[in-house]
Amino acid sequence: MQVVYEDNHIIIVNKESGEIVQGDKTGDKPLSETVKEYIKEKYAKPGNVFLGVVHRLDRPVCGLVVFAKTSKALTRLNEMFRNGDVSKTYWAITKNCPTEPETTLTGWMTRNEKQNKSYVYNREVPGSKKAILHYKVIGRSENYTLCEINLMTGRHHQIRCQLASIGCPIKGDLKYGAKRSNADGSISLMSHKVEFIHPVSKNRICVEAPLPNDNLWKDISQSIL
């Protein structure tokens, strides 16, 4: 586990692909428990350690996850995430290049719980929720495209589903149309940057995740410079 920011109220860590943020039916050890153990050991805390989960990342996605270390921070961060006061920037690698180098995608999404999969439509359908994201092509390699994505809404599998809907599934994402999986079971999507006003100190927090230890990520990121 890699801590990229920490103070008395907040801890932000870099999640590896394959980790789960919270416990689920798999019974695998979640990232939240690892963070609790880190806090308990670092500060020699007796008893249970408080840690609030304010948002999640899909298991095959890597990057920044924000946790609250106090109940005051948890309440305020929950409200900030609900109101869209936390800016989250994602990077995604796709095999196909979008036809438009930059645009906003708007659709209506439904979720199939049994399949753990979402579907997007170009019109409102029963049970659907509006989904909006903005993407920009920021890098290219010989075979792949790097897109920067900002979410205006937070729907289940939103980036994965909406990029696939324009013919650009994320590399390794078999569920949404990629032709091949990544060797490590990841998909090439990362939570790259988070920015917000600290819920207690009111200072501006802006944190970027280190790139995955992967040659493709390193090579394609060089094309941004």
Side-chain angles (χ1 to χ4, degrees):
M1 186 199 69
Q2 187 176 15
V3 177
V4 292
Y5 176 87
E6 184 181 5
D7 62 31
N8 290 336
H9 294 277
I10 291 171
I11 183 168
I12 304 175
V13 302
N14 185 43
K15 178 180 109 60
E16 294 185 1
S17 61
E19 289 184 304
I20 52 174
V21 175
Q22 269 187 310
D24 63 9
K25 61 186 178 183
T26 65
D28 294 340
K29 183 178 179 179
L31 181 61
S32 56
E33 286 302 314
T34 305
V35 176
K36 282 184 180 181
E37 290 173 1
Y38 160 83
I39 293 170
K40 187 178 182 67
E41 183 177 339
K42 180 177 180 179
Y43 300 101
K45 284 183 172 287
N48 292 328
V49 172
F50 179 89
L51 190 76
V53 178
V54 294
H55 72 116
R56 304 177 192 179
L57 289 182
D58 297 340
R59 187 165 197 159
V61 179
C62 65
L64 300 175
V65 182
V66 182
F67 294 99
K69 293 170 66 178
T70 63
S71 57
K72 179 191 287 187
L74 176 62
T75 300
R76 294 178 183 180
L77 280 170
N78 279 336
E79 185 176 1
M80 289 166 66
F81 271 89
R82 235 183 351 257
N83 295 337
D85 295 329
V86 178
S87 172
K88 293 176 288 180
T89 303
Y90 294 82
W91 280 3
I93 297 175
T94 64
K95 174 70 173 174
N96 302 327
C97 184
T99 54
E100 296 184 69
E102 181 176 4
T103 194
T104 297
L105 301 179
T106 301
W108 282 262
M109 292 182 64
T110 61
R111 177 178 180 177
N112 186 312
E113 296 276 359
K114 187 175 288 188
Q115 296 176 327
N116 189 31
K117 187 174 179 180
S118 290
Y119 296 86
V120 65
Y121 302 87
N122 58 12
R123 67 190 189 284
E124 191 171 5
V125 300
S128 63
K129 295 180 179 179
K130 197 169 189 178
I132 307 170
L133 65 75
H134 183 87
Y135 78 80
K136 180 181 181 181
V137 174
I138 60 169
R140 294 291 305 274
S141 70
E142 187 176 344
N143 297 308
Y144 297 99
T145 300
L146 178 62
C147 295
E148 184 171 271
I149 300 114
N150 291 101
L151 289 174
M152 278 85 231
T153 55
R155 307 303 178 207
H156 177 257
H157 291 180
Q158 183 177 342
I159 297 173
R160 300 165 65 179
C161 185
Q162 285 196 285
L163 287 183
S165 75
I166 60 168
C168 299
I170 293 166
K171 182 179 179 294
D173 196 0
L174 297 178
K175 180 168 282 193
Y176 288 97
K179 293 182 179 177
R180 282 184 289 276
S181 61
N182 289 343
D184 61 359
S186 70
I187 65 173
S188 299
L189 174 64
M190 69 177 297
S191 171
H192 172 65
K193 183 169 73 171
V194 292
E195 189 171 359
F196 56 93
I197 301 299
H198 194 288
V200 181
S201 71
K202 304 307 178 186
N203 294 326
R204 179 168 290 279
I205 306 296
C206 183
V207 180
E208 290 190 8
L211 287 173
N213 186 26
D214 175 274
N215 287 334
L216 177 58
W217 275 107
K218 291 174 181 175
D219 290 345
I220 201 166
S221 66
Q222 294 300 312
S223 65
I224 303 171
L225 305 176

